[in-house]
Amino acid sequence: DGEKALYEAAKKEKELTWYTAHYNSETAAAICQGFEKKYPGVKCNYIRTTAQVAYQRLAQDQKAGIAQASVISSTDQGHYTKMKQDGWLQPYKPKNLTELVDAFRSFNDPDDLFVATAAGLVLITYNTSVVSPSEAPKKWTDLTDPKWKNKVSIGHPGFSGYVGTWVVQMRKLYGWDYFKKLELNKPRIGRSINDTVTMLNAKESIVAAGPSATTLESRAKGNPLAVVYPEDGAVLMVSASGILKNAPAPNAAKLFMEYLLSREGNEVMVQQHQDPVNKHVKPMAGGKSIAEIKTIRPTPAEIEKGIPEVKEQFRETFGI
Amino acid sequence: MKDRSLLVWLLLIALLLLLVINPLARLLWASFEHPETGAFTLGNYAAAYGRWRNVEALINSLVVGLAAAGLCIVFGVPMAWAVSRTDMPGKGLVWAAVLGTFIMPNYLGAVAWILMAGPNAGWLNRIYTGLTGAAAGPFNIYSKAGLVLVIACYSFPYMFVFTRSALDLISSEMEDAASTLGASALRTTLRVTLPLALPAIMGAFIVEFLEAIALFGAPALIALPARFQVMTTMLWQMFEFPPRLQVAAAYSMPLLLITVFLFWLQYRLIARKGFVSLTGKGGERRMVRLGPWRWVLLGYCLFVTSLSFFVPMVVVLQAAFAKAWGRGFGWDNLTLRNLRFVLFDQTATRAATVNTFVYAAAASVIALGLALAIAYIVARRLVPLGRALTYVAMAPFVIPGIVLAIGFYAAYTAKPLVLYGTAWILILAFATRFLPIAYTNSDASLRSINPELEDAARILGGSRVLALRRVVAPLLKRGLAGAFILVFIPATRELSSAIFLYTTGTQVLSVLLFDKSDEGNFEVLASMGLILVVGTVALVLAGFRLVGRDFLLRRTAS
Amino acid sequence: MSRLVLSEVSRRFGSVTAVDRFSLSLAQGEFVSLLGPSGCGKTTTLRMIAGFLPPSAGTIEMDGRTISAPGSTVPPEKRNMSMIFQSYAIWPNMTVAENVAFGLEVRRLPKAEVRARVDKILDVVQMGQLGGRYPQELSGGQQQRVALARAIVVQPAVLLLDEPLSNLDANLREEMRYEIRRLHDEFHITTVYVTHDQAEAMVTSDRIAVMHQGRIEQVDAPRALYARPRTRFVAGFIGRTNFLDGEARGEAIVFDRFEIPRRAFADPEALRGRLSFSLRPQSIVLHRQPPGGAGPAAVVPGAVTQRAYLGEHWDYTVRPAESALALRVTARPHEVFEVGENVWLELDPRQMAPLLPE
Amino acid sequence: MSRLVLSEVSRRFGSVTAVDRFSLSLAQGEFVSLLGPSGCGKTTTLRMIAGFLPPSAGTIEMDGRTISAPGSTVPPEKRNMSMIFQSYAIWPNMTVAENVAFGLEVRRLPKAEVRARVDKILDVVQMGQLGGRYPQELSGGQQQRVALARAIVVQPAVLLLDEPLSNLDANLREEMRYEIRRLHDEFHITTVYVTHDQAEAMVTSDRIAVMHQGRIEQVDAPRALYARPRTRFVAGFIGRTNFLDGEARGEAIVFDRFEIPRRAFADPEALRGRLSFSLRPQSIVLHRQPPGGAGPAAVVPGAVTQRAYLGEHWDYTVRPAESALALRVTARPHEVFEVGENVWLELDPRQMAPLLPE
Ligand SMILES: Nc1ncnc2c1ncn2[C@@H]1O[C@H](COP(=O)(O)OP(=O)(O)OP(=O)(O)O)[C@@H](O)[C@H]1O
Ligand SMILES: Nc1ncnc2c1ncn2[C@@H]1O[C@H](COP(=O)(O)OP(=O)(O)OP(=O)(O)O)[C@@H](O)[C@H]1O
Ligand SMILES: [Mg+2]
Ligand SMILES: [Mg+2]
């Protein structure tokens, strides 16, 4: 069938390069290995960086007329809009799209230039050695409770698209007043959302708006952390991948997109403590599958428009 | 007829210009480029400096930089003096601790300090409240003072190594002349010995100041929670979507003026003064006898290295051997899993380690060779307007890595040097980025050599190049070995340019470490840090054996 | 063996003129000493000849080729010269033997020959045992000898010596001086020798150039310089001397309270108007009695006002009767006079050198 | 003004013994010179006195207090001494005036006085104009004068001088020597002076200690040392000399082909067996004719074999008839003999110093 033909064509291309910001290096390496195992003869090279670096590299490549990457996986919604505008992407509709978790479908590009391949959640997290499950906040508004004064940790929307999305969502739910109240608790503001994990482990803060995957991975090691799926909704992050128009290995790229959505691929992700996007693959222990919980999310348009706004508001309110 | 060596000098100058001007010119160009149209504009500068917030961040950076560099003098100079010129015991330990400080990834140090002096749960505060019953402790790492301390702890090794190499070359007769005139050991040190090392101290000060401005890691962890921005945190945001690369370039360019200003200042302060301590008439170095004071000095050295190394090391050890570091000390929490993971399981580590060391070593050799040659050209005025080369050689340091990386990327994916995808792009980027460290060191060291030592080689028929190789370099070898470390170690942990320039097969450790710090995977990070510290300290100490004996110490002194 | 010509060479450091229109021409294999007070520009001159400093004005030629001129200079390593530095400039990171071997290695001599020549020269400077020492394990004089050995072992065409023996004891200095001269004679090395020791300059040099404030005052063979100094400065600088101011009046030259017949002088016709003469202390003989025998000598009575015993001789100060002069006289150890004693001074007018007016 | 006593002081560097059981006691305000060949341990001795080096054995006392002993030494800054280093050791980062002022500032003198004293001493060393210069802008001799000025301006109790004038011209050297002695006399500074210039040691010192291979060979007043050297080494080292080996046979001392009556010597009774004498070149007089007058002098015929003109005197080598000896004779400039000429040597036996057997 089609997959076979793609594989044959990909073998002629020998290798593909994947610019990714979706996971850490080990996960990226594991996914590449899994891909190579499934499709011997096609080499998978990953360049794992932050989203901004990935985008800058791509931008410089485009400027210099270098065709290096075939697949790009950024976490920043804005990048895709811009890449689409600038015509850097080529359309492809993976066969495995049928197995995508339904909640993610709306993130796919109507023109098939990019599709959702990774997911994550922003949750309430806390240190279990200081906070008992019953005391722990249940919903986002609980974080503004004065009993957490000086003990809350959040990220900064100026440094992290993840945090930016969360802020946009909170503003959508409760208006900017939510953050004005939060400021009364003098939250510790870290750079990325992952900084909250460090803060909790150090007990410098004891509750936080944190990421699901990293918190659960740390918990899996035995650190005294736990997550709460807020009653008013866990904020869902979806990140897409796309194939570049000037991809040196377009067939291998397509094959790779298939793999990212495939069961095998998602099982590799789960082993690495990532949330799966394939609806047939179960999440890791300690977490719930996205289907089981209430998730909330802004639309891509809201994100794109909202993030620059909330950055300014955030600065107004928190002073940085 | 002209000096044949001139060709060599011109070639080296050309190389310098290629390495530095090529990427910087592209940034400069970008800073005047309209983001959309590409037309010439001053708008980027208006955007960068038209907002008080950005200016304020810059001021914060300057204040923190000055304070940190000042603190480095307080930390580094007495230690360098103690190790180089006194009979203080435990020098090996102190030297190892300084090395360890320098090698320890800066993120680990910062986290360790958060654990120690965090206002809510820091150990120091808990001890304080435990002892006094007070409600809160006095220490708050989340403050400008805290940031200054962390930066100083992390960068005082520059001061130590620079000053020590200079002090190593000063003949004891210079001090003897003062003490026979009745000056006490302290006065002799303050009035004679240290002023002779002034070029090195000032050089280190400049390096530290510039480094503090360009540093991102520690400020990101400490400045933001402390609710202030510095220049690099501002810059970082400019790369968030929608990226404003041109504004970032415009924001960084004025830093070059700061570099120029500092070197002009140094030039003025040094003026006509001489610092020749190797006169060509023998001269030896004897250790100052401190009597009971040597224990006081050792105490001070241990205090500083405790701040910078031993205490953070306790945190690192705890985390490296912990199943879950958040659970604190406990027998049931001990494991070797992290170390095993780093050493054996993590597939990428091995190749990345090899790459890291090879690239860093190659970059250090290039940087050191080039720096020594350029410093020599400047010092001996081999070409007209040589002083301008100083500014060129120093320029790469003050531009924050994230911005400079763009310049590198642009420079090496376009003519005349297309290196994209090769290891050379990383090596040259590292060499360029840390050239200023090597340059400052060479510049200071050269002042301590009587030019007649080279003259003597030349009149016997040796070219300048030979004189440099056979006389100058061996004379400075201990200092150069120190400079090598100062370039090598930062090169092993350089992230900003590495993450931009690496490709498959040229991955380096810093990128792996970044993952771990980015996701707060502290146990593995600590293990990697521990392995780095132990491995590199051992390597360096062994390496110093090979450098050979310290020729100013008499072999036969009693 | 090289001809070296310095023409109107000047060198300024900022506002200081260290060397001022210095002209000197050295024949092939000539041995010329530079003498002059401290700070008169000797080292600066050597450094220009060696090629370390370009002259501010003037040129230096070697074998007819311009090697130094304000704009362009042949680099030192191309000059086949060798120099001993006033600061020694021995390399502290090399042993004595390594220091000495350097120049030979640069010349790519075979290892065995390098070793042989190093050993030989170290024996010459009496440091044969110390080849393995580092400079900081040597005494000052030993260091200076390393510098000497290093410079002469390469047998250059031109040898430049900047006070090479200042830190050696008299015996060693004499031997080394002899060795330098021997090398010079054997290999016809054109040599420029800076020294403060006039005796040294006298015995070794073919010619001596006396410098003063950057300028050459007189260049002459040693004896001529001593016997016939042309200026007051040279006369005073080379050896000790007495200055006698007088005036030519008819057939006599009149001095302070005594006079000498004109015809007693070497060149009587040239003496006119106000005159100055230099007369060496050892050209005056003291007598207890008026000496007999006519001869051309002038005899003046006087009295001893001071004396000092300097080991090899007595140093007397004698005042001619009624005169304000104080003449220094050198006498042998056994010629003992007491202070205050009346003596007769015997002056030889032919040894009185007339000086150029200032 | 201090009494300094060195008792059996030794200093070893590894296997090298630089100073070997050195004993010397200096009276308050005494001026003692150390003379000796290069590498004999002079600098090492000074450095021990100054307190930079602890002795390996022996002690040094000052005013009755032990200041140096193998285990414990009083630090240099507590000794109220001052030293001029053979390497100058002037501070390159300070101007001439700052270098000189340092010691005064340490003594917390008022600013105005420091300035005045610095100005004065700079004038003394003839560097008044150069106070604002940095050392690397000075000539070698000027640097040495800075070192001199810096050491003497503080008027220490003990002044240690390590070849302080080696790079100065003869005139300047004489003036500086005079100044050092003047300071010494005025402030009764106990002074130890290392020099290679014997004339310098002769005129300035109260006593001279001659060192050889780390040991003292003889300590004596200058004239005594010169006139009555006790060992062959001292005789050969202090001034040039002739060695005459002979044997006491009855009433005559028999030399190589000539003899001198025993009673002609200063201490005739002491002469026994095989003997060596030292006779200075200037104690021999050359004559064209056999000199008249009896006197105690011995007259020996001979022939001139070599000669050299040294400006202040002639240096002849004369062989007594049929003898294998080659005697050096110093003569005045006007005493001209040709090589090969037959002459009469007049030797004064009272100036012949008997030497200790080796
Ligand atoms: N560190 C050392 N190791 C071995 N030998 C040494 C050391 N320092 C000095 N010496 C030797 O000790 C001896 C005495 O040295 P010192 O400097 O006292 O001589 P000096 O009399 O001052 O000679 P000079 O007149 O040449 O200056 C010399 O032979 C020297 O080589
Ligand atoms: N860099 C400089 N700047 C200013 N003046 C200088 C510099 N170098 C030398 N001079 C001056 O030039 C003059 C000549 O110096 P030079 O070293 O040639 O003297 P010299 O004859 O060798 O004296 P000495 O016998 O003392 O060694 C001196 O007066 C010195 O002060
Ligand atoms: Mg000189
Ligand atoms: Mg000495």
Side-chain angles (χ1 to χ4, degrees), chain C residues 240-255:
Chain C
R240 293 169 328 146
T241 198
N242 296 294
F243 291 112
L244 296 169
D245 295 325
E247 201 176 343
R249 291 207 201 126
E251 278 316 289
I253 312 298
V254 183
F255 296 92

mmCIF file of all heavy atoms in Angstrom, chain C residues 240-255:
data_model
loop_
_atom_site.group_PDB
_atom_site.id
_atom_site.type_symbol
_atom_site.label_atom_id
_atom_site.label_comp_id
_atom_site.label_asym_id
_atom_site.label_seq_id
_atom_site.Cartn_x
_atom_site.Cartn_y
_atom_site.Cartn_z
ATOM 1 N N ARG C 240 92.085 60.544 34.730
ATOM 2 C CA ARG C 240 91.978 61.787 35.476
ATOM 3 C C ARG C 240 92.980 62.773 34.922
ATOM 4 O O ARG C 240 93.994 62.393 34.332
ATOM 5 C CB ARG C 240 92.213 61.489 36.932
ATOM 6 C CG ARG C 240 91.053 60.626 37.462
ATOM 7 C CD ARG C 240 91.316 60.070 38.812
ATOM 8 N NE ARG C 240 92.725 59.835 38.967
ATOM 9 C CZ ARG C 240 93.323 59.984 40.124
ATOM 10 N NH1 ARG C 240 92.658 60.356 41.193
ATOM 11 N NH2 ARG C 240 94.606 59.741 40.225
ATOM 12 N N THR C 241 92.693 64.006 35.088
ATOM 13 C CA THR C 241 93.612 64.980 34.503
ATOM 14 C C THR C 241 93.573 66.280 35.290
ATOM 15 O O THR C 241 92.730 66.476 36.177
ATOM 16 C CB THR C 241 93.264 65.230 33.018
ATOM 17 O OG1 THR C 241 94.378 65.821 32.379
ATOM 18 C CG2 THR C 241 92.053 66.141 32.868
ATOM 19 N N ASN C 242 94.542 67.165 34.975
ATOM 20 C CA ASN C 242 94.541 68.525 35.507
ATOM 21 C C ASN C 242 94.288 69.464 34.355
ATOM 22 O O ASN C 242 94.803 69.271 33.256
ATOM 23 C CB ASN C 242 95.906 68.846 36.107
ATOM 24 C CG ASN C 242 96.195 67.959 37.300
ATOM 25 O OD1 ASN C 242 95.535 68.032 38.322
ATOM 26 N ND2 ASN C 242 97.206 67.092 37.151
ATOM 27 N N PHE C 243 93.437 70.471 34.581
ATOM 28 C CA PHE C 243 93.254 71.493 33.556
ATOM 29 C C PHE C 243 94.065 72.716 33.939
ATOM 30 O O PHE C 243 93.989 73.191 35.073
ATOM 31 C CB PHE C 243 91.774 71.861 33.428
ATOM 32 C CG PHE C 243 90.973 70.747 32.850
ATOM 33 C CD1 PHE C 243 90.033 70.079 33.623
ATOM 34 C CD2 PHE C 243 91.170 70.351 31.536
ATOM 35 C CE1 PHE C 243 89.300 69.040 33.090
ATOM 36 C CE2 PHE C 243 90.434 69.306 30.999
ATOM 37 C CZ PHE C 243 89.502 68.649 31.775
ATOM 38 N N LEU C 244 94.818 73.180 32.988
ATOM 39 C CA LEU C 244 95.638 74.367 33.225
ATOM 40 C C LEU C 244 95.197 75.425 32.230
ATOM 41 O O LEU C 244 95.285 75.228 31.015
ATOM 42 C CB LEU C 244 97.123 74.041 33.001
ATOM 43 C CG LEU C 244 97.705 73.008 33.973
ATOM 44 C CD1 LEU C 244 99.074 72.545 33.512
ATOM 45 C CD2 LEU C 244 97.797 73.619 35.372
ATOM 46 N N ASP C 245 94.669 76.547 32.746
ATOM 47 C CA ASP C 245 94.272 77.635 31.862
ATOM 48 C C ASP C 245 95.382 78.672 31.823
ATOM 49 O O ASP C 245 95.934 79.071 32.856
ATOM 50 C CB ASP C 245 92.973 78.290 32.369
ATOM 51 C CG ASP C 245 91.819 77.314 32.316
ATOM 52 O OD1 ASP C 245 91.803 76.496 31.377
ATOM 53 O OD2 ASP C 245 90.962 77.346 33.221
ATOM 54 N N GLY C 246 95.708 79.091 30.614
ATOM 55 C CA GLY C 246 96.797 80.065 30.493
ATOM 56 C C GLY C 246 96.556 80.994 29.328
ATOM 57 O O GLY C 246 95.492 80.976 28.697
ATOM 58 N N GLU C 247 97.560 81.793 29.049
ATOM 59 C CA GLU C 247 97.431 82.729 27.970
ATOM 60 C C GLU C 247 98.806 82.834 27.293
ATOM 61 O O GLU C 247 99.833 82.852 27.954
ATOM 62 C CB GLU C 247 97.016 84.095 28.512
ATOM 63 C CG GLU C 247 96.384 84.968 27.455
ATOM 64 C CD GLU C 247 95.900 86.283 28.030
ATOM 65 O OE1 GLU C 247 95.755 86.381 29.267
ATOM 66 O OE2 GLU C 247 95.696 87.217 27.245
ATOM 67 N N ALA C 248 98.799 82.908 25.956
ATOM 68 C CA ALA C 248 100.056 83.083 25.227
ATOM 69 C C ALA C 248 100.438 84.556 25.279
ATOM 70 O O ALA C 248 99.678 85.410 24.834
ATOM 71 C CB ALA C 248 99.886 82.612 23.779
ATOM 72 N N ARG C 249 101.588 84.843 25.883
ATOM 73 C CA ARG C 249 102.063 86.233 25.919
ATOM 74 C C ARG C 249 103.505 86.225 25.443
ATOM 75 O O ARG C 249 104.407 85.838 26.183
ATOM 76 C CB ARG C 249 102.028 86.788 27.330
ATOM 77 C CG ARG C 249 100.628 86.996 27.848
ATOM 78 C CD ARG C 249 100.599 88.106 28.899
ATOM 79 N NE ARG C 249 99.420 87.947 29.716
ATOM 80 C CZ ARG C 249 99.438 87.859 31.044
ATOM 81 N NH1 ARG C 249 100.573 87.944 31.704
ATOM 82 N NH2 ARG C 249 98.317 87.703 31.698
ATOM 83 N N GLY C 250 103.700 86.625 24.189
ATOM 84 C CA GLY C 250 105.047 86.639 23.624
ATOM 85 C C GLY C 250 105.644 85.248 23.620
ATOM 86 O O GLY C 250 105.017 84.297 23.163
ATOM 87 N N GLU C 251 106.821 85.109 24.182
ATOM 88 C CA GLU C 251 107.532 83.844 24.109
ATOM 89 C C GLU C 251 107.179 82.902 25.247
ATOM 90 O O GLU C 251 107.768 81.837 25.375
ATOM 91 C CB GLU C 251 109.056 84.092 24.105
ATOM 92 C CG GLU C 251 109.593 84.442 22.726
ATOM 93 C CD GLU C 251 109.011 83.539 21.644
ATOM 94 O OE1 GLU C 251 109.365 82.349 21.579
ATOM 95 O OE2 GLU C 251 108.146 84.012 20.842
ATOM 96 N N ALA C 252 106.245 83.324 26.102
ATOM 97 C CA ALA C 252 105.894 82.454 27.225
ATOM 98 C C ALA C 252 104.375 82.204 27.255
ATOM 99 O O ALA C 252 103.594 82.996 26.736
ATOM 100 C CB ALA C 252 106.324 83.104 28.539
ATOM 101 N N ILE C 253 104.047 81.070 27.848
ATOM 102 C CA ILE C 253 102.635 80.802 28.133
ATOM 103 C C ILE C 253 102.494 81.031 29.635
ATOM 104 O O ILE C 253 103.186 80.391 30.438
ATOM 105 C CB ILE C 253 102.232 79.363 27.781
ATOM 106 C CG1 ILE C 253 102.734 78.980 26.383
ATOM 107 C CG2 ILE C 253 100.727 79.202 27.897
ATOM 108 C CD1 ILE C 253 102.171 79.797 25.236
ATOM 109 N N VAL C 254 101.588 81.951 29.970
ATOM 110 C CA VAL C 254 101.498 82.367 31.363
ATOM 111 C C VAL C 254 100.336 81.653 32.032
ATOM 112 O O VAL C 254 99.213 81.694 31.556
ATOM 113 C CB VAL C 254 101.284 83.892 31.445
ATOM 114 C CG1 VAL C 254 101.258 84.329 32.904
ATOM 115 C CG2 VAL C 254 102.371 84.607 30.669
ATOM 116 N N PHE C 255 100.653 80.974 33.154
ATOM 117 C CA PHE C 255 99.619 80.295 33.936
ATOM 118 C C PHE C 255 99.443 81.016 35.244
ATOM 119 O O PHE C 255 100.048 82.079 35.462
ATOM 120 C CB PHE C 255 100.019 78.832 34.167
ATOM 121 C CG PHE C 255 100.113 78.050 32.899
ATOM 122 C CD1 PHE C 255 101.330 77.944 32.203
ATOM 123 C CD2 PHE C 255 98.994 77.432 32.361
ATOM 124 C CE1 PHE C 255 101.412 77.240 31.040
ATOM 125 C CE2 PHE C 255 99.086 76.721 31.184
ATOM 126 C CZ PHE C 255 100.286 76.624 30.519
#
